[in-house]
Amino acid sequence: MKQTRYQLSLVIFCLLLAAICLLIGTHVRQNEPSAIEVAAGANGNYIKWVDFNVSYEALCTAYELDVESYGSPVHLNWIELLAYAGAKGGGSFDKKSISLIQKLASELSSGETTLSELTKDMDYYDYYYEAYEAVLGGMVGEYEIEQENESGEKSWKKVYGLKAFSPIAKGFEYNDYDDFGSSRSYGYKRPHLGHDMMGQIGTPGCT
């Protein structure tokens, strides 16, 4: 009889312990952020990384809108246009993305709205802007070129447009190999979204 009571007490204790563990687990899960699938690197309530999947067509469209609006009351920023489309499409770019960029440019140029107004409720716009700025920042802007007139006189003229076309300074040797997409495992598994280029010590722009 005592053995039966002991076994019954042990069963009740185990059930209570299991119930307590279940309640604790439920509470923890309720307080955990839900998974977010925004891009390949999304997990939890933040994005581990943003893949740069911007299409050539999207780059050209945004770039041309930026350059064409230079000097106008509303100067469009091509990185902002791309980041907006990226945030809207979860990092994927297709024909709809081109239309979205063009529509956004039209609305901004007409003064119908502002980018701040459009992105105030977009959770991931800042992530995409930061990622695209890291890749494209400094490639478009003002610079000066030397011109020579018919008399042979040289002068400098300020222009606006694409000012980055080669990562290696003229006259410096370098070598490279295509490792874009190769696996990386720094902190978490991911593809290498870059292209390694080895230059001489002292080459401007190389670190």
Side-chain angles (χ1 to χ4, degrees):
M1 187 68 175
K2 289 183 178 179
Q3 183 70 17
T4 303
R5 288 181 178 176
Y6 172 77
Q7 291 175 342
L8 182 59
S9 299
L10 185 60
V11 171
I12 293 173
F13 174 78
C14 291
L15 289 173
L16 288 173
L17 184 60
I20 292 172
C21 292
L22 181 62
L23 288 172
I24 293 174
T26 301
H27 176 72
V28 170
R29 284 193 298 272
Q30 288 176 344
N31 286 278
E32 285 180 348
S34 57
I36 301 170
E37 292 297 332
V38 176
N43 187 16
N45 66 340
Y46 61 95
I47 300 177
K48 286 184 177 180
W49 76 86
V50 172
D51 291 335
F52 188 80
N53 294 323
V54 182
S55 66
Y56 172 77
E57 292 76 14
L59 284 169
C60 290
T61 300
Y63 168 74
E64 290 169 2
L65 289 167
D66 184 320
V67 174
E68 290 171 1
S69 65
Y70 176 69
S72 64
V74 179
H75 180 200
L76 303 171
N77 182 308
W78 74 314
I79 300 178
E80 292 177 348
L81 298 176
L82 293 170
Y84 182 83
K88 279 285 190 179
S92 298
F93 284 79
D94 52 23
K95 291 183 179 179
K96 292 181 180 179
S97 303
I98 307 300
S99 299
L100 181 64
I101 291 172
Q102 293 171 333
K103 181 175 182 293
L104 172 63
S106 177
E107 292 176 352
L108 295 176
S109 298
S110 66
E112 180 181 335
T113 186
T114 64
L115 191 65
S116 298
E117 181 66 24
L118 290 173
T119 60
K120 66 179 182 180
D121 296 322
M122 294 177 67
D123 293 333
Y124 301 109
Y125 169 78
D126 290 339
Y127 283 99
Y128 282 97
Y129 179 80
E130 184 177 354
Y132 293 174
E133 170 69 23
V135 178
L136 304 172
M139 290 190 177
V140 173
E142 292 182 341
Y143 60 96
E144 293 185 341
I145 57 174
E146 188 177 41
Q147 294 183 325
E148 184 176 340
N149 60 25
E150 296 178 355
S151 303
E153 298 176 340
K154 295 181 178 180
S155 61
W156 290 92
K157 179 183 178 182
K158 182 181 290 186
V159 295
Y160 183 91
L162 186 66
K163 60 180 184 178
F165 56 90
S166 175
I168 303 297
K170 183 179 180 181
F172 287 83
E173 296 181 0
Y174 72 95
N175 60 77
D176 68 296
Y177 63 97
D178 188 5
D179 59 343
F180 188 90
S182 300
S183 61
R184 291 289 188 271
S185 58
Y186 182 74
Y188 45 85
K189 291 184 179 180
R190 61 183 176 85
H192 180 220
L193 302 178
H195 188 91
D196 291 336
M197 308 180 79
M198 285 65 71
Q200 304 174 57
I201 295 176
T203 298
C206 289
T207 56

